[in-house]
Amino acid sequence: MESVQAEIKVLTDELNEANHQYYVLSNSLMSDFDFDQKLKRLQLLEEENPSLADENSPSKRVGGDITKKFKSIKHEIPMLSLANTYSKEELEEWEARNQKLTDDKITYVCELKYDGVAIGIKYKNGKLVQAVTRGDGSKGEEVTSNVKTIRSVPLKLRGNYPEELEIRGEIFYPLANFQQLNEDREELGEATFANPRNTASGTLKMHDSAVVASRGLDCMLYGVYTNNKEYPGHYESVEAAASWGIKTPVGKPRYIAICESIDQIMDFVNHWDKQRSKLPFEIDGVVVKINNYRIQEELGFTAKSPRWAISYKFKAEAALTRLNEITYQVGRTGAITPVANLEAVSLAGTTVKRASLHNADQIEKLDIRVGDFVYVEKGGEIIPKITGVELSKRDLLVQPVHYLEHCPECHTMLVRKEGEAQHYCPNDLGCPPQITGRMQHFISRKAMDIDGLGSETIELLFQEKLVQSPADLFELNFGQLIQLERFAEKSVNNLLSGVVDSKQVPFERVLYGIGIRFVGETVAKKLAKHYTNIDNIKAASLEDLVNVDEIGNKIAESVVGFFADDRNLLELERLKAQGLQFELSEEQLANTTNKLEGLTFVISGVFELHSRDELKAMIENNGAKNASSISAKTSYLIRGENMGPSKLAKAEKLDVKMISETEFVELLNS
Ligand code: IVH
């Protein structure tokens, strides 16, 4: 036991240090692979020795706790907002008001105003104990499990921290992660999110912390609250917080500055007004604070905000330019996106020529007309958006937009389903960008991952009329390929062997690759496991499908629709004949049944015959769900040795059936 305890400690320290270096200080101490290996080892040890598992262990970062309803918590110190200013004159007025209230010389601290959501995080004896959203300022929602998944938020403090501490900060969506999220969603044919701030806020309130963990939120500190007044001012306490391992602006180039005058403040403001597009996250201004805590106290608060701080808001980065033309793009799923083609204009350091118009409603709502002068703004999206029309510059002759009726690529009449914002081209099997889009999806990394074949090659093969559908890829031959421009013997052989090798890709990835709408990676795995082969999925009725865990109506309808189309069936037959995997392998199958379908298990304690991971796999492979905490929905608690007393009490209170490991095995074999 002692050596296990020692190993847990070593792993915990190593992982905490690697996290801190990577997410707070941007240094890399070990490879992702090593990190994952160590984390897996720690998880295993903790599962096998629950009495040694710490609730602030780095393994908590991956989430898994489900919060049904967030608890409402009263803030000990209210979370106020800030008064806004937009000019140097207003700043000078603010300073003059302050100087009437104090005789002392004022020193200021300037910080970035992060565009996210406020959070209050409490630490006791160096351990993160609670995280609460701003809410209405006097009470907020407890989102501790979700905040624990944010890698830059330390679960344990380091150095010389005070016994009790609350930090306040801003949780935000880093732009790169936000763009990745939207790209992933687009690939699945799902609606993309409008901006990073709302998405950060929505993510923070998700019930499944594992999903929050996958999103990659970040957090920056802007306030430190302790009982003892050890530090003379804000800047000094932010520096101290940095030494406790918290992510702060200290040490980053010009993220924070001490200023002695309004001119110095304006230098900071002007610098970031120009440079903010280069930041990896969004800001909407600068916050100016009086540094000294004693002066802060002297000045106090108005009803809504502190007198000692003020935010200098940037004007939205907008440009006015002419809308020359609206063109339309067709996606893999046939979704039509209108695109504004603009007179080139410079905005936030880049030249903008195109902007997304989203859909027909958006064009109508803003009454955008070709020839209009429109305002373009840059948010978190890669493509800027149009926010309005300058009507004073409208030419009398411009006409309202007549939205496209036929597909720009294949001229089929477009359709728009009730309740959907997007128009679609229904000619899925005859429309070029849909055809190539489907093949590009089929060969993509998470699907067939075909070596030697990329998106551009697909375009080329399609143009050369060599392929129309994924099945055609398997009928390509050397003679056809060697004649293509840019193809030498080596690249041809590479491509051909990549295609052959892909026949071994497991069923769930083939299922994902064939591109049934709304069937993403996770759903494909679920369906593969539940139905074990393609014929069973094909035979499943709508009612059948919605009964599968996590399959909703929208997905079920799409699956049924896919198999009702003879052209899809023909394609599947061809792929089958080529030898692709359309069923789970012997090995996958040997461990899979639906025996425990509909049941939810919680396992707790230490076991003799199987490891906890083995038990969990047995549960999942037989159609049941693992949950981490006991609730009214728990069907069985598998009880091992040294089970925690609180779990036991909860199970008894909710009258959850408790079984031993042997009883579980009997249940499985019955
Ligand atoms: S200080 C007493 N500093 O802006 C209020 N706030 O409008 C102290 N914010 O709710 C707030 N960056 O969520 C402060 N560097 C920063 C900030 C910041 C963003 C947010 C914060 C607050 C809102 C106030």
Side-chain angles (χ1 to χ4, degrees):
M1 204 60 155
E2 222 166 62
S3 69
V4 173
Q5 194 162 14
E7 190 181 351
I8 288 184
K9 172 141 192 351
V10 169
L11 286 168
T12 299
D13 289 349
E14 278 182 334
L15 290 167
N16 278 339
E17 182 61 22
N19 252 327
H20 174 71
Q21 289 286 337
Y22 190 80
Y23 291 101
V24 179
L25 305 177
S26 309
N27 290 330
S28 184
L29 285 190
M30 55 178 88
S31 69
D32 287 358
F33 179 79
D34 287 346
F35 188 91
D36 286 345
Q37 292 297 311
K38 286 185 200 284
L39 186 64
K40 276 199 188 121
R41 175 76 188 149
L42 177 63
Q43 279 169 324
L44 183 79
L45 292 176
E46 286 177 344
E47 283 181 6
E48 283 171 355
N49 306 278
S51 63
L52 300 178
D54 185 331
E55 58 184 288
N56 280 338
S57 154
S59 63
K60 291 287 167 203
R61 299 286 194 194
V62 293
D65 286 357
I66 307 277
T67 315
K68 286 248 171 55
K69 193 171 178 309
F70 297 113
K71 246 200 280 174
S72 171
I73 305 274
K74 191 170 171 345
H75 295 297
E76 257 171 72
I77 307 158
M79 285 179 103
L80 301 176
S81 58
L82 292 169
N84 293 327
T85 60
Y86 295 89
S87 66
K88 183 178 176 189
E89 290 68 44
E90 285 178 303
L91 265 188
E92 282 166 345
E93 286 164 22
W94 176 63
E95 171 164 71
R97 281 199 302 279
N98 290 338
Q99 284 295 357
K100 273 190 198 148
L101 297 171
T102 177
D103 298 329
D104 292 308
K105 157 129 188 45
I106 296 175
T107 299
Y108 299 98
V109 177
C110 287
E111 282 173 6
L112 304 177
K113 187 166 193 297
Y114 317 103
D115 199 8
V117 281
I119 191 82
I121 307 175
K122 282 193 176 164
Y123 288 89
K124 271 206 181 109
N125 297 316
K127 287 191 176 178
L128 190 162
V129 289
Q130 191 181 59
V132 182
T133 62
R134 176 164 187 266
D136 63 6
S138 70
K139 54 185 184 329
E141 290 175 313
E142 192 193 339
V143 288
T144 313
S145 297
N146 287 348
V147 169
K148 279 187 179 177
T149 68
I150 301 175
R151 308 281 165 140
S152 54
V153 174
L155 302 179
K156 280 185 192 149
L157 299 180
R158 51 184 63 219
N160 193 12
Y161 49 79
E163 223 171 84
E164 287 198 32
L165 164 74
E166 175 166 356
I167 62 161
R168 297 268 167 93
E170 195 85 347
I171 290 178
F172 56 89
Y173 221 122
L175 288 171
N177 296 352
F178 180 72
Q179 274 159 17
Q180 185 62 52
L181 174 73
N182 268 348
E183 278 167 28
D184 290 348
R185 290 178 69 86
E186 219 169 297
E187 197 191 304
L188 292 183
E190 287 179 39
T192 53
F193 291 116
N195 68 59
R197 182 188 354 99
N198 293 355
T199 315
S201 162
T203 302
L204 194 60
K205 290 190 190 150
M206 290 175 84
H207 294 281
D208 185 347
S209 61
V211 181
V212 183
S214 72
R215 290 277 176 94
L217 295 175
D218 202 345
C219 181
M220 189 78 94
L221 163 141
Y222 60 64
V224 184
Y225 297 84
T226 58
N227 289 328
N228 46 354
K229 299 257 171 296
E230 243 180 276
Y231 306 97
H234 175 67
Y235 190 84
E236 292 78 9
S237 62
V238 176
E239 272 184 322
S243 78
W244 305 328
I246 295 165
K247 182 159 176 166
T248 75
V250 170
K252 306 201 173 57
R254 294 194 81 167
Y255 276 27
I256 187 166
I258 295 178
C259 297
E260 303 286 349
S261 67
I262 298 291
D263 281 338
Q264 285 180 7
I265 295 175
M266 286 312 294
D267 276 351
F268 188 88
V269 167
N270 291 331
H271 170 78
W272 284 113
D273 197 2
K274 284 198 209 85
Q275 299 296 321
R276 66 173 149 140
S277 62
K278 300 204 174 100
L279 284 166
F281 47 80
E282 290 201 320
I283 60 172
D284 59 345
V286 162
V287 181
V288 187
K289 300 170 182 178
I290 292 180
N291 189 43
N292 189 286
Y293 280 148
R294 199 182 36 72
I295 305 180
Q296 284 191 8
E297 244 168 67
E298 229 177 305
L299 295 185
F301 299 84
T302 69
K304 277 187 276 170
S305 48
R307 288 200 184 82
W308 47 263
I310 200 156
S311 90
Y312 190 108
K313 291 280 261 269
F314 297 138
K315 297 197 186 65
E317 284 179 283
L320 191 63
T321 189
R322 187 172 181 275
L323 171 61
N324 289 333
E325 189 191 5
I326 296 177
T327 52
Y328 299 84
Q329 274 175 355
V330 190
R332 159 169 79 88
T333 59
I336 305 290
T337 309
V339 178
N341 293 257
L342 306 163
E343 196 64 43
V345 64
S346 144
L347 176 65
T350 53
T351 305
V352 175
K353 287 188 203 141
R354 286 150 65 83
S356 170
L357 287 167
H358 298 292
N359 52 50
D361 288 347
Q362 184 77 3
I363 295 174
E364 205 179 297
K365 203 171 94 196
L366 297 174
D367 185 25
I368 297 171
R369 305 180 183 192
V370 173
D372 270 344
F373 279 82
V374 292
Y375 288 100
V376 202
E377 272 184 29
K378 221 169 180 183
E381 310 83 37
I382 317 167
I383 307 176
K385 58 172 182 269
I386 291 183
T387 53
V389 175
E390 182 51 61
L391 289 176
S392 70
K393 287 183 150 233
R394 175 171 280 174
D395 190 297
L396 283 175
L397 295 175
V398 297
Q399 294 295 315
V401 171
H402 188 71
Y403 202 79
L404 189 73
E405 284 175 359
H406 295 91
C407 176
E409 304 277 346
C410 72
H411 314 294
T412 305
M413 180 86 134
L414 299 180
V415 294
R416 183 180 183 178
K417 280 205 204 118
E418 224 183 89
E420 282 196 23
Q422 225 73 17
H423 283 70
Y424 282 90
C425 166
N427 181 21
D428 51 345
L429 295 182
C431 179
Q434 295 190 60
I435 296 170
T436 49
R438 264 196 311 273
M439 286 191 281
Q440 284 158 346
H441 171 76
F442 181 77
I443 63 159
S444 66
R445 203 172 43 80
K446 290 175 185 166
M448 305 303 284
D449 194 16
I450 299 182
D451 256 357
L453 187 55
S455 288
E456 279 159 28
T457 309
I458 291 284
E459 294 281 354
L460 179 69
L461 295 173
F462 175 72
Q463 274 162 25
E464 297 293 328
K465 303 206 167 38
L466 292 176
V467 295
Q468 278 277 340
S469 77
D472 294 338
L473 293 169
F474 296 88
E475 289 167 11
L476 289 169
N477 62 44
F478 189 91
Q480 291 170 322
L481 294 170
I482 198 72
Q483 289 171 28
L484 297 175
E485 220 180 295
R486 282 187 287 130
F487 266 79
E489 194 172 321
K490 190 168 169 213
S491 41
V492 171
N493 284 332
N494 255 350
L495 196 160
L496 289 173
S497 65
V499 167
V500 171
D501 290 348
S502 78
K503 294 182 183 178
Q504 300 314 318
V505 163
F507 175 41
E508 63 271 15
R509 276 170 53 194
V510 178
L511 185 59
Y512 167 68
I514 59 177
I516 306 174
R517 201 161 168 226
F518 305 125
V519 177
E521 234 187 324
T522 322
V523 172
K525 272 189 198 152
K526 278 256 140 69
L527 290 173
K529 197 169 233 174
H530 185 91
Y531 289 102
T532 73
N533 66 41
I534 196 92
D535 292 328
N536 290 341
I537 303 179
K538 179 175 142 192
S541 67
L542 199 70
E543 298 77 66
D544 220 20
L545 283 158
V546 288
N547 274 331
V548 180
D549 193 35
E550 282 170 53
I551 306 291
N553 236 330
K554 193 170 84 173
I555 299 172
E557 271 174 19
S558 167
V559 172
V560 170
F562 181 89
F563 289 102
D565 191 326
D566 284 341
R567 293 166 303 178
N568 289 332
L569 298 183
L570 185 69
E571 171 76 8
L572 288 179
E573 283 313 315
R574 289 178 61 206
L575 289 171
K576 253 189 197 171
Q578 288 290 345
L580 273 68
Q581 305 300 313
F582 279 104
E583 56 187 33
L584 294 180
S585 67
E586 295 280 314
E587 199 194 328
Q588 286 174 309
L589 217 49
N591 301 317
T592 311
T593 77
N594 290 330
K595 265 187 188 165
L596 305 178
E597 182 153 16
L599 301 179
T600 302
F601 287 81
V602 173
I603 48 186
S604 184
V606 187
F607 300 92
E608 261 176 31
L609 306 173
H610 303 91
S611 75
R612 288 165 60 94
D613 273 347
E614 280 168 358
L615 286 173
K616 280 188 181 171
M618 286 156 83
I619 290 167
E620 269 185 18
N621 289 334
N622 290 288
K625 249 196 192 168
N626 283 300
S628 55
S629 63
I630 295 167
S631 73
K633 275 200 187 153
T634 311
S635 326
Y636 290 98
L637 171 71
I638 310 181
R639 188 180 165 177
E641 272 193 42
N642 294 336
M643 181 180 147
S646 64
K647 267 208 174 133
L648 192 62
K650 192 156 180 201
E652 278 168 355
K653 193 172 144 211
L654 293 175
D655 224 2
V656 171
K657 262 182 255 162
M658 285 188 255
I659 55 175
S660 68
E661 185 184 11
T662 355
E663 283 168 321
F664 170 69
V665 176
E666 279 164 17
L667 184 74
L668 206 56
N669 294 332
S670 66

